[in-house]
Amino acid sequence: MITCCNLLCGAVAVFLATQNCFAYAFLFILAGAFFDFFDGMVARKLGVSGPLGIQMDSLADDITFGLAPAMMVFCFLKPIIGWWALIALLMAAFSALRLGKFNIDERQHFGFIGLATPANAIFWGGICSMPYALTAPTWMPWTLLAITLLSDYLLVCEIPFFSFKSQDRSWKANKIRYIFLIGCVILIGFAVWEAVRYEQTVFVLFSGTACILWYVIINLIFHKQL
């Protein structure tokens, strides 16, 4: 039931994207991430985990974290660059490939190989929630389209990315994670400050994009230690 709530959030996000309600679509992606975080935990606590849940989880994730952000980017860019924006829909296919690889890869119990689909969805959800992204120079929409291809690559690449599945909470074992969290606190704090300063709550949503960008950077810097 919780996994289906994740899927339904993704379906609503897709619909809202087609209506150009990008900030609300992003909020439903975040709600889907909330359900995705707790469904496995609840299933294990209740003793009802099984192969069906594993398959349902991936199917729901591809809707919420694959199709929904892909549709957001497509609907966001199409008025500016036309049907070239269809390239953004490749994100849904690469997300499905990422999730399929995760299901059969025994190396990903305590970390990720490639960027996780929720992180990718949060990155794009934040960008599409900022209307200022399209008021920049004319090359900006094309740059965003090119970055979708880069994020497609990061989803399926062999670069290790850390997760928070760690039983050891010491600084030595989790230095990279703690550095990441400290950076996120700074970024979110700055976003809240800007939101209050300019009375624009979208700055808070964009902080998600900033945190994911920081996540990618810190993993690329320290990937040999992961």
Side-chain angles (χ1 to χ4, degrees):
M1 181 177 66
I2 296 175
T3 304
C4 285
C5 287
N6 172 15
L7 189 151
L8 289 171
C9 285
V12 174
V14 170
F15 167 73
L16 290 171
T18 64
Q19 305 302 306
N20 294 331
C21 299
F22 300 116
Y24 289 110
F26 184 31
L27 289 175
F28 272 92
I29 287 177
L30 293 176
F34 173 82
F35 289 119
D36 182 55
F37 181 81
F38 284 105
D39 60 358
M41 182 187 304
V42 172
R44 287 187 293 271
K45 290 290 185 181
L46 297 178
V48 293
S49 58
L52 176 61
I54 295 173
Q55 300 304 318
M56 282 294 298
D57 185 69
S58 293
L59 292 170
D61 285 357
D62 193 39
I63 298 297
T64 305
F65 309 126
L67 180 60
M71 282 298 296
M72 286 183 69
V73 178
F74 167 71
C75 295
F76 188 66
L77 294 179
K78 184 180 179 298
I80 308 298
I81 63 175
W83 293 107
W84 284 101
L86 283 170
I87 293 173
L89 296 182
L90 287 171
M91 192 183 303
F94 276 88
S95 296
L97 180 59
R98 166 75 180 87
L99 292 161
K101 290 178 64 177
F102 177 81
N103 286 346
I104 62 174
D105 194 338
E106 297 296 327
R107 299 172 296 169
Q108 302 191 53
H109 291 301
F110 295 100
F112 301 116
I113 305 297
L115 183 65
T117 53
N120 185 62
I122 291 171
F123 175 83
W124 287 108
I127 287 180
C128 294
S129 298
M130 291 288 290
Y132 309 106
L134 294 181
T135 60
T138 55
W139 48 263
M140 180 59 72
W142 296 100
T143 301
L144 292 177
L145 188 65
I147 294 174
T148 66
L149 298 177
L150 176 60
S151 71
D152 291 342
Y153 165 74
L154 289 176
L155 286 168
V156 298
C157 70
E158 288 293 307
I159 299 173
F161 286 79
F162 69 81
S163 73
F164 288 93
K165 296 178 181 179
S166 176
Q167 298 178 345
D168 186 349
R169 302 299 179 186
S170 67
W171 168 264
K172 183 177 180 180
N174 296 277
K175 179 177 66 174
I176 299 174
R177 295 176 177 86
Y178 288 134
I179 293 174
F180 167 70
L181 290 175
I182 292 170
C184 286
V185 170
I186 295 172
L187 290 170
I188 294 172
F190 178 75
V192 171
W193 168 263
E194 291 296 295
V196 173
R197 181 183 178 188
Y198 293 102
E199 298 182 352
Q200 293 283 344
T201 56
V202 290
F203 282 108
V204 178
L205 295 178
F206 187 72
S207 67
T209 295
C211 288
I212 298 303
L213 182 59
W214 169 233
Y215 174 71
V216 172
I217 291 172
I218 200 170
N219 276 281
L220 292 178
I221 292 174
F222 295 104
H223 71 276
K224 292 184 179 180
Q225 301 179 32
L226 298 175

